[in-house]
Each structure stands twice: as structure tokens, then as C-alpha cells.
Amino acid sequence: MAAAEAHPQPSGLLSIGQVLARLQGDFTDLSPSKLRFLEEQGLITPARTKSGYRKFSQEHIERLRLILTLQRDHYLPLKVIAEVLEEVDRGRDPVIPGAAQRNVSSILAPKRVLSAEELRRATGASPRFLGEAIAAGLLPAAEVFPHDAVAQLTSLLELAARGITPRHLRPLRVAAEREAELIDHAVSSRGVKSGTPLGAEDSLELAGHLDTVRSGVLRRRISGA
């Protein structure tokens, strides 16, 4: 199979049609013209291709879910929604106007899962390439995938375009599994010593530290330092 056929447009970005396919099930009044109107109002800013076509990321999708939910369920005008979004962009979790006991985070839709077909449409991956990623243990062998699989598969496509295929990345998966075991052991040991069970946040904190150390080692190796 030719490289161009196996890895078409590994951008991970969605067209207007793909955005509608994702969201119209929950927001039946959503249309291309409404998407363009929200853009004109400055509430969302999709990327543009060289040809001028709009492209939307997963972050755009979640922002649209928030905008449309605030309109439909809380009847907020666009001016007020813009103020809410400004607070969100500053990293805050504002109270929803008119709903004093609810913050924006309480209405954000949970991350959807994607079917294999949706995942391939979002990334441009071929069925064969997705199968290779699953066979290498880099993606779960499942009927549905979490949304972060879009970013993972997009990166795998970018790597493959540069000669690093899923098969080459099997050692990375093995190393990640060993790190997970190391984290589990560390969290369990700390929990026993403190007498308090430790949870997912502790595991993620340790994973973040390992990521920092690994990235530093990799950068030094590449730079020859």
C-alpha cells in the first residue's frame, strides 16, 4: 500500500460536516450556518487550511458543546456566553449566570467514546494502520475508543510518515507498562505507610514526574549533551 494511501491527511482535525455528525445528535438545530455565525461572533475560532476550509479540533468540539448547552439549557444570550468563555479561557470555573449553585464544569459533557470508524475519520488512518497500532499494543483492542485516542493515532501517523511505524514502537509500550507497574508499587507502598489509600491523582502525579524525567533524557540524547 502506498504511503499516501495509508496515511492521508494525518491532521486529526475535523471538517464542518464531521463536526455536525458529532454534535447534531445532541443539538438538532446545529447547522453549518450556525457554526459560521458562532465564529463570526468570536465564540469559536477554527483553524483554516491553505484553501480556506475550516478545521476543528477536539478542543473546539468541547467548546461548542459548552456554548450550545448554555444556549439550550440555560437560555443565555451570546454576550453572556462570551463572558463565561472568557473566564474559562483564563483557566477559571465560573458560576453559570442564573444558576448560582452550578459551575461550568458541572455541565461540560463527559468525554465521548469513538467507534473505530469515527476514529479513522477523525485522523485519516486506514483500517490497516489502525489494526497495526492495536496489534502493537499502542491502542486498546476494543470496539470503542476514548477521545484521547485521536491525538495518539494522529501522532502515530506522523511518526509513520517519518519511518517510525507502530511495529517499531513496541518497546515503548513495554517500557510504559513497566512504568505503570513502578507507579502502582510506589502508590501502594505510600498508601501502606500513611495508612490512607492513595488514588488516581497520586498515580497521575507520579506519571507526570516520569514524563518530565524521560523527556529530559530524550532531549539530551538527541542533542548529544
Side-chain angles (χ1 to χ4, degrees), residues 176-213:
E177 290 172 350
R178 289 175 179 169
E179 287 184 6
E181 292 176 359
L182 182 63
I183 290 172
D184 286 342
H185 176 73
V187 169
S188 297
S189 298
R190 287 172 58 192
V192 170
K193 291 178 180 178
S194 66
T196 303
L198 301 180
E201 290 185 2
D202 299 278
S203 296
L204 291 174
E205 179 183 357
L206 292 177
H209 292 315
L210 284 174
D211 280 339
T212 299
V213 173

Side-chain angles (χ1 to χ4, degrees), residues 5 10 64 119 168 185:
E5 183 180 355
L64 278 168
L119 179 59
H168 295 131
H185 176 73

Side-chain angles (χ1 to χ4, degrees), residues 27-189:
F27 306 98
T28 55
D29 64 338
L30 184 61
S31 64
S33 60
K34 184 166 185 176
L35 278 177
R36 296 188 184 99
F37 176 73
L38 293 175
E39 180 185 358
E40 290 169 1
Q41 298 302 306
L43 298 180
I44 188 165
T45 308
R48 294 273 187 164
T49 66
K50 292 181 179 179
S51 302
Y53 292 104
R54 295 170 176 82
K55 290 293 183 178
F56 299 81
S57 67
Q58 182 56 34
E59 288 72 21
H60 291 131
I61 297 292
E62 296 308 317
R63 189 177 184 89
L64 278 168
R65 283 186 182 279
L66 175 57
I67 293 168
L68 297 170
T69 299
L70 290 173
Q71 274 191 314
R72 183 192 63 191
D73 298 347
H74 297 274
Y75 311 105
L76 297 185
L78 293 183
K79 181 179 179 181
V80 176
I81 291 177
E83 294 171 355
V84 172
L85 292 175
E86 185 176 349
E87 290 293 293
V88 172
D89 291 341
R90 290 175 177 173
R92 300 170 182 167
D93 184 16
V95 172
I96 301 168
Q101 301 303 315
R102 300 189 67 188
N103 292 70
V104 164
S105 60
S106 70
I107 66 168
L108 288 174
K111 297 291 185 182
R112 290 179 59 244
V113 293
L114 303 175
S115 67
E117 175 63 24
E118 288 175 320
L119 179 59
R120 290 193 291 103
R121 283 204 308 266
T123 60
S126 68
R128 178 179 176 180
F129 188 87
L130 177 58
E132 290 173 355
I134 293 172
L138 303 171
L139 289 174
E143 294 184 0
V144 293
F145 301 84
H147 260 301
D148 62 4
V150 173
Q152 293 171 346
L153 189 55
T154 297
S155 291
L156 288 171
L157 285 164
E158 296 284 4
L159 290 168
R162 292 161 175 78
I164 304 175
T165 69
R167 177 174 55 83
H168 295 131
L169 296 174
R170 288 179 186 271
L172 183 149
R173 184 209 72 204
V174 173
E177 290 172 350
R178 289 175 179 169
E179 287 184 6
E181 292 176 359
L182 182 63
I183 290 172
D184 286 342
H185 176 73
V187 169
S188 297
S189 298

